[in-house]
Amino acid sequence: MEKKSQKHGNSVVKMRDVAALADVSIATVSRYLNGNLDRMSTETANRVADAIDKLNYVPNSAARQMVKKSSGLVAVIAGNIDDFFSTEMFKGINAMLESKGYVGVLFDSNSDLDREKRLMQIVSNQIFDGAILQPYNAVSVIQDTIKRPMPIVIADREIEQSPWPQIVTNNYEIARQATQYYKDKGFKRVIMITSSLTMAANRRDRYYGIQSVINNIDVLEVSEKSYNHKKVLQQLVTLINGSQEDTLIFALKERWLTEFIPRLFYKGLIDDKHVAVTGFSDTGTAQYIDPKTKLISQDPYLIGADSGEVMVNLLEGKKQEPEKIIVPAKFG
Amino acid sequence: MEKKSQKHGNSVVKMRDVAALADVSIATVSRYLNGNLDRMSTETANRVADAIDKLNYVPNSAARQMVKKSSGLVAVIAGNIDDFFSTEMFKGINAMLESKGYVGVLFDSNSDLDREKRLMQIVSNQIFDGAILQPYNAVSVIQDTIKRPMPIVIADREIEQSPWPQIVTNNYEIARQATQYYKDKGFKRVIMITSSLTMAANRRDRYYGIQSVINNIDVLEVSEKSYNHKKVLQQLVTLINGSQEDTLIFALKERWLTEFIPRLFYKGLIDDKHVAVTGFSDTGTAQYIDPKTKLISQDPYLIGADSGEVMVNLLEGKKQEPEKIIVPAKFG
DNA sequence: CTGTTAGCGCATTCAC
DNA sequence: GTGAATGCGCTAACAG
C-alpha cells in the first residue's frame, strides 16, 4: 500500500526496513546509528552496516530531533552578509561549533530591523539549538520575538542591558588610540565617514573615541544602500579643502576606504602630512591602496570563534555568565 | 514526574496544554494553527488564540515536520561567503524563496572539496526541503553524498552531465566579447590573473573565451588563500614590461582588480593605450579605481532569484526540466 | 549482547 | 463544528 505520490523529499526506507534486512530489532539499528557499538557484537554491527548500505537508508532527522530535542544546528543571524566582517565572523563561529559537533547556518538580516525580527521568529520556530545574533533590535524586541527559551549569544553589536553573553570589539578604545596617534603628529581635525544608519552602538562608541581626542569633527554620512559616488567624492574634497587644519579622514567602515580613497590618493589629495587617512579595515584590501596607511583591524574571526565557544558552553550546560567579552582591535 | 534537568531549548508547554486551557481538543488547536479556521466557530478560535497567547505556546517544529515531511527550509551551499557573488546570489535566492513561503539558509563550503562534501552530508541528513549548490564537486560525488532524494539546483558553477537544473552565466561569450573590444582597439596580448584553483568550469570557459580572440595569453596564478602581495605585484609588473605588445590585463575575479590594480594605476603603468585593464567585477567597487575602466559585471542576484524560482517549482511539484538557464553578464 | 515497549508532539482520518 | 484515536520514525528505558 505504498503511496506513490509522496512529496519529493522522503526516503521511503526506514529503520524497521533496515532491522528486517539485518534480522535484528530496530533498537539495535538505533544503537548502531548512535554509536553504541560496545553493546553489540561486531558481527551484528556489520550486518546492520550492510543493510543500511544496501538499502541506502538515511535516518529521518525530524523524528530523531523530536525525541532528542536537539538538531546540532545553530542559527547565526548576521547583519549583512555582504560584509566581510559578518562572513568572517561566521567562519570563526563555525570553526568553533564544528569542533564540538555542531553546525552553524547563516541568515542575513540585511541590516533591516523588520527582517531581523522575521528571521528571529523563524529561527525560534525551527529546530535550532541556539542562536548567535549580530543584532540591530533592542533587547526587549528580541525577547518578545524569540519566545522559545533557547541559548542566545550577542556578537559584535553591543546592546544595552543584555541578558545574554556578548562578544564585542573595543570600539571606543581603539578609535581613541588611532586618533591619538594622529593628534600626536599634529592633526587637529577629523572628517569621519560613516553609514547613515542610526547611532548603532558600534558607531557611537567609535565616534566618542575619536571625539575624546579631537573635538573638531566633520561627519560625512553615506547611505549604505544607495549613494552617488561622484557626489560623495565631491563632498569629501570640499570638506578637505574647507579648512586649513591638518585633517585626518577617518572611515568607520572599510567600504568607504576602498571606494573613495583611491581617487583621492590618485589626485594627490592625501599626502600623510596635511591630509591623512585611517579607518576600520577588516579585509586588509584597503591596505593595498597605500601600504603606508595605518589602519584599524578588528578580528571578526576571533569574535566569531569566541561567540561559538560561548554558545557551546551554553548548549552543554556549562556555567556561562552573561558576561561581555572584549576582543581588541589592532591599530598599525 | 517532570524532568527538571531538561536540556536548554525545550518549551515545556505543548498543544495539549493549550487545548486544556481553551477547553477544546488538541485537534482543534492543531486546526487553528494550520489555518483551518473555516471549520471552527469564531468563538473557539478566539479562545484558542487567547490560550496560545497566554501560555506563550510555540509549536514543536520537529514534531510537525515529522508528520508534514517538510520544514520550509532550503539549504544553500555557497562556494565562498567572503565572495560578493555568493552572498548576492543568496540574497536573490531568498527573495524568491521567501515570496513563496520558504526560507533559505546559507552554508559556506569555503571552496573546499571535502568541506563541501561534509556540508552536503549534513544537509541531506537534516530536514531541509531542498538544496541549492554552487558546487566544486562533480556530479557523481554529489550523487553519492546526498543520498536522500531531494530537489537540487545547481547555481553559477556549471557541471558536466548535470541531472539537475542549472543557472549559470555566459562566461565564454562575455569573455570573448570583452576581449574582442580590446582587440579592436589594437591590443594583441593578454595577461590573465586568476586563482590557482583547478580548472573549474567557469574559469575554463572564460579562458577559452579570451583565447578565441587573442591567443597570446600569459597566465598569472594567484593562490586565493595565501599569497605575497608585493611579490605578485612585482610579477605583474615584470609581465607587463616583458613585451612590446599592447597588453590587456584581464582579471577573472574582482578581487585581483581591487588588490593589484590601484598600485599599477598609481604607478602610471596603466594608460589605456598600451596597457589596459578589464575583468569580472560584481560589486562595482573596482569601478572606482578608474571610472573609465570597462568591466564585466555578472548578475548574481538574478542568478540567485532564478535558482530560487526553479527550486520552488521543484518543491511544488511543477514540471521542471533539468534545463540550463543562462543569465547573461554585461560588459561596459 | 539484544529485543519489547512506551512515548516524543503533532496532523489527520473518522466519527459524532 | 468538534473530539477520539491512530501513526509519523525514532530513542531510551527496561527486560531478559
Side-chain angles (χ1 to χ4, degrees):
Chain A
M1 213 56 82
E2 288 284 328
K3 267 201 268 176
K4 207 53 195 162
S5 68
Q6 291 213 336
K7 286 183 71 170
H8 205 160
N10 312 330
S11 70
V12 186
V13 31
K14 29 193 120 164
M15 239 174 57
R16 68 158 151 273
D17 301 320
V18 177
L21 181 56
D23 197 33
V24 294
S25 76
I26 60 168
T28 303
V29 179
S30 175
R31 288 193 189 101
Y32 174 85
L33 287 168
N34 288 287
N36 298 346
L37 301 182
D38 43 337
R39 302 188 178 186
M40 206 176 324
S41 77
T42 321
E43 206 265 323
T44 49
N46 286 140
R47 282 219 312 284
V48 174
D50 284 352
I52 289 176
D53 206 51
K54 224 158 264 164
L55 294 175
N56 239 298
Y57 167 71
V58 28
N60 177 321
S61 64
R64 170 197 295 247
Q65 285 163 27
M66 169 154 90
V67 26
K68 302 261 286 195
K69 275 125 180 44
S70 160
S71 64
L73 259 31
V74 172
V76 179
I77 302 184
N80 189 352
I81 57 170
D82 279 351
D83 218 329
F84 180 81
F85 189 97
S86 291
T87 55
E88 199 62 13
M89 185 177 84
F90 179 67
K91 284 175 195 268
I93 289 174
N94 251 332
M96 198 61 217
L97 289 182
E98 290 178 18
S99 74
K100 301 293 187 178
Y102 295 91
V103 181
V105 307
L106 186 53
F107 293 85
D108 174 30
S109 79
N110 216 351
S111 302
D112 179 306
L113 285 171
D114 286 331
R115 185 174 165 76
E116 181 180 298
K117 221 168 130 179
R118 271 193 38 234
L119 289 179
M120 290 193 292
Q121 247 168 56
I122 289 167
V123 163
S124 76
N125 282 331
Q126 291 284 357
I127 40 59
F128 298 101
D129 289 354
I132 299 179
L133 314 175
Q134 186 186 12
Y136 269 98
N137 279 292
V139 170
S140 60
V141 179
I142 300 176
Q143 280 173 325
D144 287 352
T145 309
I146 301 185
K147 300 196 170 181
R148 173 167 66 94
M150 71 193 295
I152 291 177
V153 172
I154 307 296
D156 179 40
R157 298 233 185 87
E158 198 170 340
I159 54 180
E160 310 284 342
Q161 306 265 325
S162 170
W164 312 288
Q166 307 197 72
I167 292 84
V168 297
T169 299
N170 56 342
N171 285 295
Y172 176 92
E173 182 52 28
I174 198 71
R176 198 197 55 68
Q177 190 179 318
T179 311
Q180 185 66 53
Y181 172 87
Y182 289 98
K183 186 186 185 188
D184 290 347
K185 299 195 115 190
F187 290 87
K188 298 207 162 68
R189 172 190 177 231
V190 171
I191 297 174
M192 181 176 110
I193 311 179
T194 176
S195 311
S196 56
L197 296 171
T198 46
M199 262 314 213
N202 283 0
R203 172 183 164 180
R204 191 199 52 212
D205 290 349
R206 292 170 187 183
Y207 179 80
Y208 287 156
I210 297 170
Q211 199 188 34
S212 74
V213 178
I214 294 182
N215 223 317
N216 184 2
I217 305 180
D218 282 307
V219 177
L220 180 56
E221 282 202 352
V222 186
S223 161
E224 190 106 20
K225 309 273 180 188
S226 74
Y227 64 91
N228 183 315
H229 182 261
K230 219 166 166 177
K231 198 173 143 202
V232 173
L233 204 57
Q234 190 49 54
Q235 287 179 308
L236 205 43
V237 172
T238 306
L239 274 176
I240 292 173
N241 294 330
S243 163
Q244 296 301 328
E245 303 274 28
D246 289 349
T247 299
L248 171 65
I249 301 175
F250 201 129
L252 293 201
K253 201 165 171 187
E254 171 153 16
R255 178 172 171 190
W256 310 132
L257 287 173
T258 41
E259 297 201 2
F260 299 119
I261 303 310
R263 297 300 299 167
L264 294 180
F265 194 44
Y266 184 63
K267 289 180 174 188
L269 270 170
I270 296 174
D271 57 6
D272 276 344
K273 300 200 73 75
H274 298 297
V275 180
V277 143
T278 192
F280 282 80
S281 161
D282 305 311
T283 73
T285 300
Q287 192 66 63
Y288 303 137
I289 297 168
D290 177 21
K292 294 190 302 298
T293 308
K294 289 170 82 75
L295 299 167
I296 297 171
S297 50
Q298 305 182 81
D299 197 337
Y301 190 89
L302 187 53
I303 291 182
D306 281 359
S307 306
E309 185 169 10
V310 170
M311 175 53 74
V312 170
N313 286 346
L314 252 26
L315 289 171
E316 304 195 332
K318 288 184 197 144
K319 203 184 351 270
Q320 176 72 51
E321 306 294 317
E323 64 188 329
K324 190 197 293 182
I325 299 178
I326 295 178
V327 178
K330 283 194 289 279
F331 172 67
Chain B
M1 210 57 82
E2 287 284 327
K3 269 202 267 176
K4 207 55 195 160
S5 68
Q6 292 211 336
K7 288 182 72 172
H8 205 159
N10 313 332
S11 72
V12 186
V13 32
K14 29 192 119 165
M15 240 173 58
R16 69 159 151 276
D17 301 321
V18 177
L21 181 55
D23 198 32
V24 295
S25 77
I26 61 168
T28 303
V29 179
S30 176
R31 289 194 189 102
Y32 174 85
L33 288 169
N34 289 286
N36 298 346
L37 300 182
D38 42 338
R39 302 190 179 186
M40 204 176 328
S41 76
T42 320
E43 206 266 322
T44 50
N46 286 141
R47 282 219 312 285
V48 174
D50 284 352
I52 288 176
D53 205 52
K54 225 158 262 161
L55 294 175
N56 239 296
Y57 166 72
V58 28
N60 178 321
S61 63
R64 168 197 297 248
Q65 284 163 28
M66 171 153 90
V67 25
K68 302 259 289 193
K69 274 124 180 49
S70 159
S71 64
L73 260 29
V74 172
V76 179
I77 303 185
N80 190 351
I81 56 169
D82 279 351
D83 219 328
F84 180 80
F85 189 97
S86 291
T87 55
E88 198 63 12
M89 186 177 83
F90 179 67
K91 285 174 195 269
I93 290 174
N94 251 333
M96 199 60 217
L97 289 182
E98 290 179 18
S99 74
K100 302 292 187 176
Y102 295 91
V103 180
V105 308
L106 186 54
F107 293 85
D108 174 29
S109 78
N110 214 354
S111 303
D112 179 309
L113 285 171
D114 287 331
R115 185 175 165 75
E116 180 180 298
K117 221 168 129 179
R118 272 194 35 236
L119 289 179
M120 289 192 294
Q121 247 167 56
I122 289 167
V123 163
S124 77
N125 282 331
Q126 290 283 358
I127 38 59
F128 297 100
D129 289 353
I132 299 178
L133 313 176
Q134 186 186 13
Y136 270 98
N137 280 292
V139 169
S140 60
V141 179
I142 299 176
Q143 279 172 326
D144 287 352
T145 310
I146 301 186
K147 301 195 170 182
R148 173 167 66 93
M150 71 194 295
I152 291 178
V153 171
I154 307 296
D156 179 38
R157 298 232 186 86
E158 198 170 340
I159 54 181
E160 311 283 342
Q161 304 267 324
S162 169
W164 311 288
Q166 307 197 73
I167 292 84
V168 298
T169 299
N170 57 341
N171 285 294
Y172 176 92
E173 183 53 28
I174 197 71
R176 197 198 57 67
Q177 189 178 320
T179 311
Q180 186 66 53
Y181 172 87
Y182 288 98
K183 187 186 183 188
D184 290 346
K185 297 193 119 194
F187 290 87
K188 298 208 162 68
R189 172 190 177 231
V190 170
I191 297 175
M192 181 177 110
I193 312 179
T194 175
S195 310
S196 55
L197 296 170
T198 47
M199 262 315 210
N202 281 2
R203 172 182 162 181
R204 192 199 51 209
D205 291 348
R206 291 169 188 184
Y207 179 80
Y208 288 156
I210 297 171
Q211 200 188 31
S212 73
V213 178
I214 295 184
N215 223 319
N216 183 2
I217 304 181
D218 281 308
V219 176
L220 179 58
E221 281 203 351
V222 186
S223 162
E224 189 106 21
K225 308 273 180 189
S226 73
Y227 64 91
N228 183 316
H229 184 261
K230 219 166 166 177
K231 198 172 142 203
V232 173
L233 204 57
Q234 190 50 54
Q235 287 179 309
L236 204 43
V237 172
T238 307
L239 273 175
I240 292 173
N241 294 330
S243 162
Q244 296 302 327
E245 304 274 28
D246 288 349
T247 299
L248 171 65
I249 301 175
F250 201 128
L252 293 201
K253 204 170 169 184
E254 171 153 16
R255 180 173 169 190
W256 311 132
L257 288 173
T258 40
E259 296 200 3
F260 299 121
I261 303 310
R263 297 301 297 167
L264 294 180
F265 194 43
Y266 184 60
K267 288 179 175 192
L269 270 170
I270 296 174
D271 57 5
D272 277 343
K273 301 199 73 74
H274 298 298
V275 180
V277 140
T278 191
F280 282 81
S281 160
D282 304 311
T283 72
T285 300
Q287 193 66 64
Y288 303 137
I289 297 167
D290 176 20
K292 293 191 302 298
T293 309
K294 287 170 81 77
L295 299 165
I296 297 171
S297 51
Q298 304 182 83
D299 197 336
Y301 190 89
L302 187 52
I303 291 181
D306 281 359
S307 307
E309 184 168 10
V310 171
M311 174 54 74
V312 170
N313 286 346
L314 252 26
L315 289 171
E316 304 194 333
K318 289 185 197 144
K319 203 182 352 268
Q320 176 72 51
E321 305 296 316
E323 65 187 328
K324 189 196 294 180
I325 299 177
I326 294 178
V327 178
K330 283 194 288 280
F331 172 67

